[in-house]
Amino acid sequence: MLDNLNWWEIGGLLLLALLIFGDRLPTVISDGLRMVRNLRKMASNATSDLSRELGTDIQLEDLHPKAFIRKHLLSEEDEQAIRKPLQGVYDNLRADVTGVHDDLKDVANAADLRSGSRPSTATGNVPAPAPRVSYDDAT
C-alpha cells in the first residue's frame, strides 16, 4: 500500500498527523483500527449468512456477479454451450487480425526507407525539397 513512499515521506505524514490531531492521535488511530475490524467482521458475517442461506460455500471473491453466476448457477455443460458459438467468432476474428497484421508488415517492409531503397519519381530522380522562404525575404 505504501510502496511508493520513502521513509522521509512517511515521517512527514506522521509529523503532519501529529500536528493536526495533537494529543488525540492515539485515540484517532485506535478508532480507525476499530472501524477496520468492524468492517471486516461485517463482511465476514454477510458472507457466512449468504453462504448459509444459499446452502453453498461462498467466498468474498465469489460475490462478483459474473463469478457468482459461473460458479453457482451454470453447470460446466451450460458454460461450454455458451462458449462454443463465441469461440468460433473469436477464432475467425483472430485469423482476420493476424492476416491484417501480416499485410501491414509486408507494406512496412516494402516502404522501409532504412533498407536503402528509396521510392523514386517517374524520371528516376529524387525531387529536391522546396526552398524555404524566410520572414525577411517576404517583407
Side-chain angles (χ1 to χ4, degrees), residues 82-130:
I82 291 172
R83 286 181 185 256
K84 188 176 182 179
L86 297 176
Q87 187 66 37
V89 171
Y90 173 76
D91 292 339
N92 291 340
L93 182 64
R94 187 166 181 89
D96 290 344
V97 168
T98 303
V100 168
H101 184 261
D102 292 341
D103 291 344
L104 286 175
K105 272 187 179 177
D106 293 342
V107 168
N109 288 337
D112 190 12
L113 298 178
R114 289 177 288 171
S115 64
S117 61
R118 301 188 108 186
S120 61
T121 59
T123 60
N125 296 332
V126 177

Side-chain angles (χ1 to χ4, degrees), residues 26-96:
T27 57
V28 170
I29 291 173
S30 65
D31 289 343
L33 291 175
R34 188 178 319 116
M35 183 181 67
V36 169
R37 272 189 240 115
N38 287 338
L39 286 174
R40 284 184 181 168
K41 189 185 296 183
M42 286 177 16
S44 174
N45 289 339
T47 304
S48 64
D49 289 345
L50 189 59
S51 177
R52 187 177 59 247
E53 291 291 326
L54 292 176
T56 60
D57 184 33
I58 294 179
Q59 301 299 322
L60 193 58
E61 295 83 24
D62 296 337
L63 296 179
H64 190 277
K66 288 180 182 179
F68 184 82
I69 289 172
R70 185 179 300 124
K71 185 173 182 183
H72 298 285
L73 298 180
L74 292 178
S75 65
E76 287 187 30
E77 296 84 20
D78 294 338
E79 188 175 348
Q80 290 299 326
I82 291 172
R83 286 181 185 256
K84 188 176 182 179
L86 297 176
Q87 187 66 37
V89 171
Y90 173 76
D91 292 339
N92 291 340
L93 182 64
R94 187 166 181 89
D96 290 344

